[in-house]
């Protein structure tokens, strides 16, 4: 661990910095000249690879602080002279939250609370941008849908055209939805109650390089890995469910903008996803992959999983306006880029489809 040396350089702290989104953000910040500390327990398979890649690429700018987000003493040290904090460390899978809701609660609620407290206790609190999820809006089962050949679509024109905005009522479903939702609300309330510079990003499906996608989380990368390895792909439900997917570079733009504009956006939560232009059903995505590979995939169907949304597309207009975001990468272009990245690196990706250490054990 070479983090203490870098801690003197007033670094940017990224919890979960060895994970998929954290690693892409760390690379961007280091390329822009910042010192970055990755605070990560490396509990997700493949994350040590991301950390090594970053430290090799930016030997003087990136350091790993290997610790658990629940370790208050380590967290306090890491926060002590951070200039900004991005919080990605989490138990990330809905399925795992059913298997072990206590662990999910401890990491997602307890870890976020410990981080907020460490920040609150600083004399000058650094800005914090927290990675929340669209799962805070529940399964959206009251949304009237039409069933098309390959997808579900909302009956209401405004939702079809724009997606769901931040005005959508909160409705936590599943232990993961509850723990991320509670953390989301704590983060917003610490902005309100203690005037901390905190903003929240409620993300849809983010995809891109360095994603160790598994059946439980990171489905775009998971489908591609399976397809490239000529392994069967299981769909939970009928595959007509629709998500707005966002290429990771665009997500990184939004995080950086939230940090740079924190005085203007503190106390706010933004929906962050590909928006209606990048809304795609699982079936449509799989057909696109088949087209690129020039062969049929082995696709199997199983029952819907609890909390699965039939249709979720973010209305990203608030984030675009407040953060000055450009047009997101068109999904076909982004998926093709991820496919190229995975093809080049397939042999060294974790073998397990779950890609979560405890599940693989
Ligand atoms: N990827 C998405 O599409 C998406 C969508 C919505 C929300 N999110 C949220 O964004 C964040 C990042 O997601 P990701 O896709 O990069 O996931 P990821 O699993 O790749 O990254 C999470 C990182 O946190 C680390 N971690 C896990 N438990 C930890 C603990 N107890 N202490 C310290 N580190 C720990 C893991 O080792 C991993 O490096 C998460 O908070 C997730 O809930 C992601």
């Amino acid at each position: 661990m070479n983090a203490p040396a870098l801690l003197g350089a007033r670094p940017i702290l990224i919890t979960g910095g060895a994970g998929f989104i954290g690693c892409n953000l760390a690379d961007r910040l280091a390329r822009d000249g910042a010192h970055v500390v990755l605070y990560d327990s490396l509990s997700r398979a493949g994350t040590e690879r991301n950390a090594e890649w970053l430290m090799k690429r930016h030997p003087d700018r990136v350091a790993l602080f290997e610790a658990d987000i629940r370790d208050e003493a380590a967290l306090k040290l890491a926060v002590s002279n951070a200039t900004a904090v991005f919080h990605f460390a989490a138990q990330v899978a809905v399925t795992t939250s059913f298997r072990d809701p206590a662990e999910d609660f401890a990491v997602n609620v307890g870890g976020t609370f410990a981080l907020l407290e460490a920040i609150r206790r600083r004399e000058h609190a650094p800005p914090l941008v927290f990675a929340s999820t669209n799962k805070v809006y529940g399964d959206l089962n009251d949304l009237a849908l039409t069933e098309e050949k390959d997808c579900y679509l909302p009956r209401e024109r405004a939702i079809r055209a724009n997606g769901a905005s931040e005005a959508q009522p909160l409705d936590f479903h599943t232990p993961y939805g509850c723990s991320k939702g509670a953390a989301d609300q704590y983060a917003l309330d610490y902005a309100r109650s203690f005037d901390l510079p905190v903003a929240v990003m409620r993300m849809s499906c983010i995809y891109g390089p360095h994603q160790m996608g598994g059946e439980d989380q990171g489905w775009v990368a998971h489908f591609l890995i399976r397809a490239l390895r000529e392994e069967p792909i299981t769909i939970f439900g009928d595959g007509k469910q629709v998500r707005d997917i966002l290429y990771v570079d665009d997500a990184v733009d939004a995080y950086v903008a939230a940090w740079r504009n924190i005085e203007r956006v503190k106390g706010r939560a933004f929906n962050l996803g590909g928006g209606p232009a990048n809304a795609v059903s699982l079936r449509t995505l799989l057909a696109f992959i088949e087209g690129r590979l020039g062969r049929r995939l082995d696709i199997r169907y199983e029952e819907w999983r609890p909390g699965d949304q039939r249709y979720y597309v973010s209305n990203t207009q608030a984030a675009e306006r407040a953060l000055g975001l450009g047009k997101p990468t068109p999904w076909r272009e982004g998926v093709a880029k991820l496919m190229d990245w995975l093809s080049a690196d397939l042999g060294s990706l974790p073998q397990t489809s779950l890609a979560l250490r405890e599940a693989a054990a």
Side-chain angles (χ1 to χ4, degrees), residues 15-23 39-45 47 50 67-70 87-93 103 107-108 130-135 176 180 201-207 210-212 217-218 255 356:
T15 78
F20 159 50
I21 306 172
C23 149
Y39 186 103
D40 204 299
S41 62
L42 303 182
S43 55
R44 184 163 189 161
T47 49
N50 287 342
D68 196 285
I69 195 70
R70 291 163 289 185
H87 181 34
F88 294 98
Q91 189 302 104
V92 294
E103 171 85 0
V107 173
N108 291 356
F130 170 59
S132 182
T133 165
N134 63 22
K135 294 278 186 288
Y176 172 79
K180 291 295 288 190
M201 314 302 276
R202 292 180 181 152
M203 294 187 287
S204 276
C205 303
I206 314 298
Y207 68 97
H210 301 281
Q211 185 170 30
M212 308 300 158
Q217 199 251 3
Y255 275 86
L356 293 167

Side-chain angles (χ1 to χ4, degrees), residues 44 211-219 221-222 225 352-355:
R44 184 163 189 161
Q211 185 170 30
M212 308 300 158
E215 202 157 62
D216 291 335
Q217 199 251 3
W219 59 275
H222 169 66
I225 293 169
T352 164
S353 68
L354 227 43

